[in-house]
Amino acid sequence: MADASKKSARKIIHDRRLRGKVALVAGATRGAGRGIAVALGEAGATVYCTGRSTRAGRLKAGQPETIEETAELVTAAGGLGIAVKVDHTVPAEVKKMCGQIKRRHKALDILVNDIWGGDAITEWGKTFWTVNIENGLGLLKQAIHSHIITAHYAVPLMLGRRRGIIFEITDGDAFYYRGNLFYDLVKISVIRLAFAMARELRKREIVSVALTPGFLRSERVLDHFKVSEANWREAGKKNKNSADQNDAADFMMSESPRFVGRAVVALATDPKAKKKNGRVFSSWRLAREYKFTDLNGTRPDWGRYATKKYGKFKVCDERFYSYWVPGLVELIFPDWF
């Protein structure tokens, strides 16, 4: 056991690919945001961990995670975690936080837009004319407006840096319908946001991409299956498969939040990342390319599994993007940006 601990320590010491880099993970309290923040810490980055749940006041009862805890996990992994309470739907709060980053670290290298928090107000199985309209509109504000506001104030801190990268965290790497009109608008919109920002930043040293995890083994999902990260495979023995596609068999193909975090690190450290500008990628596809693994040393491939079980579906590929560029406006006004 002592030898294993030494090997683990050596790994942390040697992984300094992002040492000296400053990252902002907007929405780092739990789930993918926390996994990404800790993975950036593994690579030695300074990570601002923002969200609304703090030890002084948690946003929702029954959700114990806080931004302070995330920041401590970042530091324990080898980076420097800094917790800042921010409501990303409020421009003044985001502006203030970006001012803090500028004063303390002068600039920003990595922006991760992972603000979500819409699980409680997404009404699955309801048509758009029967859902609670206030919840739906609130979801757009919470998970699209917040991303735009954050990028608006954070990207100026990235200008002039040798290399910067923006990540828009979404669900799915395809253009298919996602089961609820408002949820669909959110997840497609942030993919489009990554593309639009990439077009305006294309002459600068900043890359903008969208990124999706697979079946995410988040805190909420672990609670649903009544397991922890330490014993999550027990869910396959405890739970019988159901008609619901998110059953125990699917859960066995899940990935920890750290997996998508390592996808972020892989792209953030790739000097040729600009070739991927404006597109959407999956954790499993990037794992194949960059050879990183999950916490347990495996390389889960949700896309391959889902295709085999449920059938083939089209993802955003070269042909898909060929319809996006060049656009008519760029042909008419090639020097706008």
Side-chain angles (χ1 to χ4, degrees), residues 225-264:
F225 283 101
K226 296 180 173 58
V227 291
S228 67
E229 182 59 36
N231 72 337
W232 68 271
R233 289 188 177 277
E234 293 296 313
K237 301 174 184 177
K238 294 178 181 179
N239 296 273
K240 294 181 179 180
N241 291 346
S242 67
D244 191 295
Q245 68 176 28
N246 290 339
D247 60 14
D250 288 2
F251 183 63
M252 291 299 96
M253 291 303 300
S254 65
E255 62 192 60
S256 80
R258 197 79 59 86
F259 193 59
V260 71
R262 288 172 177 174
V264 165

Side-chain angles (χ1 to χ4, degrees), residues 131-152:
V131 299
N132 181 309
I133 192 66
E134 294 304 322
N135 283 348
L137 295 176
L139 194 60
L140 301 184
K141 178 181 178 181
Q142 189 165 293
I144 298 176
H145 296 185
S146 61
H147 287 224
I148 297 169
I149 291 166
T150 303
H152 174 81

Side-chain angles (χ1 to χ4, degrees), residues 171-174 176 213-215 245-247 249-255 282 284 288 300-315:
D171 179 8
D173 58 346
Y176 53 68
F215 193 144
Q245 68 176 28
N246 290 339
D247 60 14
D250 288 2
F251 183 63
M252 291 299 96
M253 291 303 300
S254 65
E255 62 192 60
S282 64
W284 58 91
R288 290 182 217 150
D301 194 320
W302 173 251
R304 187 170 292 164
Y305 167 82
T307 299
K308 185 176 180 180
K309 181 174 180 179
Y310 297 108
K312 289 186 178 181
F313 56 93
K314 294 182 179 180
V315 300

Side-chain angles (χ1 to χ4, degrees), residues 63-84:
Q63 292 185 335
E65 301 83 20
T66 66
I67 53 173
E68 292 94 342
E69 185 180 49
T70 300
E72 289 165 1
L73 290 169
V74 170
T75 301
L80 172 63
I82 302 170
V84 184

Side-chain angles (χ1 to χ4, degrees), residues 115-228:
I115 308 125
W116 165 237
D119 291 325
I121 56 175
T122 302
E123 298 178 275
W124 300 108
K126 286 191 176 183
T127 54
F128 66 84
W129 61 92
T130 62
V131 299
N132 181 309
I133 192 66
E134 294 304 322
N135 283 348
L137 295 176
L139 194 60
L140 301 184
K141 178 181 178 181
Q142 189 165 293
I144 298 176
H145 296 185
S146 61
H147 287 224
I148 297 169
I149 291 166
T150 303
H152 174 81
Y153 288 107
V155 167
L157 297 178
M158 305 174 78
L159 300 176
R161 298 293 274 179
R162 182 168 171 266
R163 191 169 72 225
I165 188 164
I166 302 166
F167 293 92
E168 287 291 328
I169 307 303
T170 186
D171 179 8
D173 58 346
F175 204 64
Y176 53 68
Y177 171 64
R178 285 161 168 79
N180 171 280
L181 183 142
F182 290 102
Y183 185 89
D184 184 71
L185 280 175
V186 167
K187 300 308 179 182
I188 287 295
S189 293
V190 297
I191 292 174
R192 184 68 186 189
L193 179 58
F195 168 76
M197 290 191 294
R199 299 315 297 161
E200 297 194 11
L201 290 166
R202 68 188 185 278
K203 296 179 183 178
R204 301 175 184 271
E205 291 301 311
I206 301 175
V207 174
S208 173
V209 297
L211 176 62
T212 179
F215 193 144
L216 190 70
R217 208 158 56 246
S218 65
E219 295 88 353
R220 182 171 174 271
V221 171
L222 289 169
D223 287 344
H224 171 76
F225 283 101
K226 296 180 173 58
V227 291
S228 67

Side-chain angles (χ1 to χ4, degrees), residues 1-13:
M1 184 65 79
D3 289 341
S5 298
K6 289 178 181 177
K7 288 180 181 178
S8 177
R10 282 200 297 271
K11 183 178 179 182
I12 292 174
I13 291 170

Side-chain angles (χ1 to χ4, degrees), residues 309-327:
K309 181 174 180 179
Y310 297 108
K312 289 186 178 181
F313 56 93
K314 294 182 179 180
V315 300
C316 299
D317 56 12
E318 292 294 331
R319 184 180 181 187
F320 178 80
Y321 290 114
S322 72
Y323 289 95
W324 291 28
V325 178

